[in-house]
Amino acid sequence: MAMDRTTLNALALFPLQLEAHYKAIPVSHRHWAPPSWDGIPSERFTAIEQLCHVRDIEIEGYQERIRRTLEESHPRLPSIESEPLAIERDYARADAEAVLHAFRDARARTVETIARLDEAQLARTAEFEGYGPLTLRSLVHYLCSHDQQHLAGLQWLLGKIEAERVLKAGV
């Protein structure tokens, strides 16, 4: 049994959703941080930083984890510390269009790889730091879940932006 079509479709469509959610953020707030991050369903990143994070986790996280799970015997897959990476790579100054383009290309490669996997490959195992033992199929579902967390993070930011507007208006 290959990877289920629902998950593959969600992965393939995510770059369009990410771009649409990002573009819903007012230009004036793409680098804005709320006074409190309490309740955010993703990492504590501004809108532009969310994009950069998703791109880097795709390439250096999930693509590498998939490769290692396919090539190694039960590898230990490390988690990636996102906040130091954001500082090191100066996410706040990134060009959104370039980031979205790089992400679209990377995601197309990821989906192409996953779509070709057979049952034996999807059943390969690994140990993912913070998640425990899993199969490659599990890893693909976690990638899809990670996508949804970042759409939720952008929606959360929109909520905070609207709340800020209301507070400033004194309503």
Side-chain angles (χ1 to χ4, degrees):
M1 178 172 101
M3 196 69 214
D4 68 273
R5 183 57 47 197
T6 300
T7 302
L8 277 175
N9 286 342
L11 291 170
L13 292 173
F14 178 67
L16 295 172
Q17 292 178 317
L18 181 65
E19 183 173 359
H21 279 71
Y22 177 74
K23 288 186 174 178
I25 303 282
V27 172
S28 61
H29 283 74
R30 291 186 177 164
H31 298 275
W32 175 82
S36 169
W37 291 100
D38 290 347
I40 190 163
S42 64
E43 283 80 2
R44 297 174 174 199
F45 288 147
T46 65
I48 185 64
E49 292 168 339
Q50 295 270 345
L51 295 185
C52 295
H53 167 78
V54 168
R55 175 204 56 203
D56 289 349
I57 294 302
E58 181 79 12
I59 297 167
E60 296 166 37
Y62 283 94
Q63 285 183 350
E64 182 65 9
R65 292 170 186 142
I66 290 167
R67 183 195 66 74
R68 289 190 57 212
T69 303
L70 287 168
E71 295 176 2
E72 299 173 25
S73 176
H74 198 75
R76 183 177 184 286
L77 308 173
S79 184
I80 294 174
E81 291 297 320
S82 299
E83 290 179 16
L85 200 58
I87 294 165
E88 173 189 319
R89 296 186 180 173
D90 199 11
Y91 282 1
R93 290 198 211 270
D95 175 274
E97 291 304 317
V99 173
L100 286 164
H101 179 75
F103 176 67
R104 278 191 302 272
D105 287 350
R107 177 51 63 90
R109 288 190 307 275
T110 302
V111 170
E112 183 180 312
T113 297
I114 294 167
R116 289 193 316 255
L117 299 175
D118 62 29
E119 187 57 38
Q121 291 169 313
L122 288 166
R124 290 186 61 84
T125 62
E127 184 84 22
F128 188 4
E129 182 182 1
Y131 289 79
L134 50 68
T135 64
L136 184 49
R137 184 184 305 275
S138 304
L139 190 61
V140 173
H141 288 298
Y142 293 146
L143 169 57
C144 197
S145 170
H146 182 262
D147 288 352
Q148 298 308 307
Q149 289 171 332
H150 287 282
L151 291 182
L154 290 170
Q155 284 293 330
W156 184 91
L157 283 169
L158 280 167
K160 287 294 190 176
I161 291 165
E162 179 63 15
E164 178 195 53
R165 185 189 66 74
V166 170
L167 286 172
K168 282 183 178 178
V171 175

